[in-house]
Amino acid sequence: MSRVLAFDTSSPVLGVGLSGGGGALVRTERVVRGSERRLLPLATELLDEAGLGVHQLDGIAVAAGPGAFTGLRVGLATACGLAQALELPVWPAMSLWPRAIRAGLGGALLVMLDARKSRVYAAGWQDDVLLHPPQDVAPEVAIGWFEGSFRATGEGALVYSARVVEAGGG
């Protein structure tokens, strides 16, 4: 079983996960500023809880976007620096994918992150097929990808919840 440390710094909710050994551990924390100061302490907490050292890791996964530029830069730099020091592979992942998995694929699913300035980073799935790859769009554009009912998740879905519900989303 691979032991993978994962970082998601694509939004104001910082996420660190550790998989392997038959389960997964996760820490999330809302961070307005200073995610670079919280990322490694959260990772250390997870490794300590799992009874693992960094040299027992098999790789590092990291959200590679879309998302906030500064946050992504922090996560990618941390993941790459740690992986280089430990001689481990880095696996980048679309930041909207874990949110889709957590919501549960099936049916029409819209995942949105708030990009600010009346924009969202969004992707849309029908069942387990990505129909609308990640885009930086107005919320109405992303919400308009689906006719009829759909599920919406992510920080952007919360920010634009009234528009989502009005369009048939839940």
Side-chain angles (χ1 to χ4, degrees):
M1 169 87 34
S2 293
R3 293 172 296 253
V4 178
L5 184 63
F7 299 125
D8 185 349
T9 56
S10 62
S11 76
V13 178
L14 175 68
V16 180
L18 177 64
S19 69
L25 301 171
V26 176
R27 294 282 188 284
T28 59
E29 185 175 300
R30 183 166 285 281
V31 179
V32 176
R33 292 182 189 258
S35 60
E36 70 280 0
R37 291 188 295 269
R38 292 297 302 142
L39 198 55
L40 289 177
L42 290 173
T44 300
E45 284 179 25
L46 291 181
L47 288 165
D48 288 347
E49 185 176 331
L52 294 174
V54 292
H55 294 288
Q56 293 174 284
L57 292 172
D58 298 310
I60 311 287
V62 62
F69 175 75
T70 301
L72 289 171
R73 186 176 60 190
V74 166
L76 288 162
T78 302
C80 289
L82 191 57
Q84 184 176 10
L86 298 171
E87 298 181 354
L88 293 173
V90 175
W91 297 297
M94 175 182 42
S95 57
L96 302 174
W97 177 245
R99 290 160 175 85
I101 295 297
R102 185 164 187 186
L105 293 174
L109 177 64
L110 174 62
V111 180
M112 296 191 302
L113 293 178
D114 184 17
R116 302 193 182 164
K117 298 183 181 182
S118 299
R119 308 282 294 175
V120 293
Y121 304 116
W125 282 262
Q126 181 64 50
D127 299 317
D128 61 349
V129 177
L130 178 64
L131 293 180
H132 301 279
Q135 298 176 42
D136 177 346
V137 295
E140 293 79 17
V141 170
I143 291 167
W145 290 340
F146 298 102
E147 293 182 17
S149 64
F150 63 94
R151 292 177 301 124
T153 190
E155 295 84 354
L158 294 174
V159 171
Y160 297 102
S161 62
R163 295 180 195 177
V164 167
V165 170
E166 184 179 302

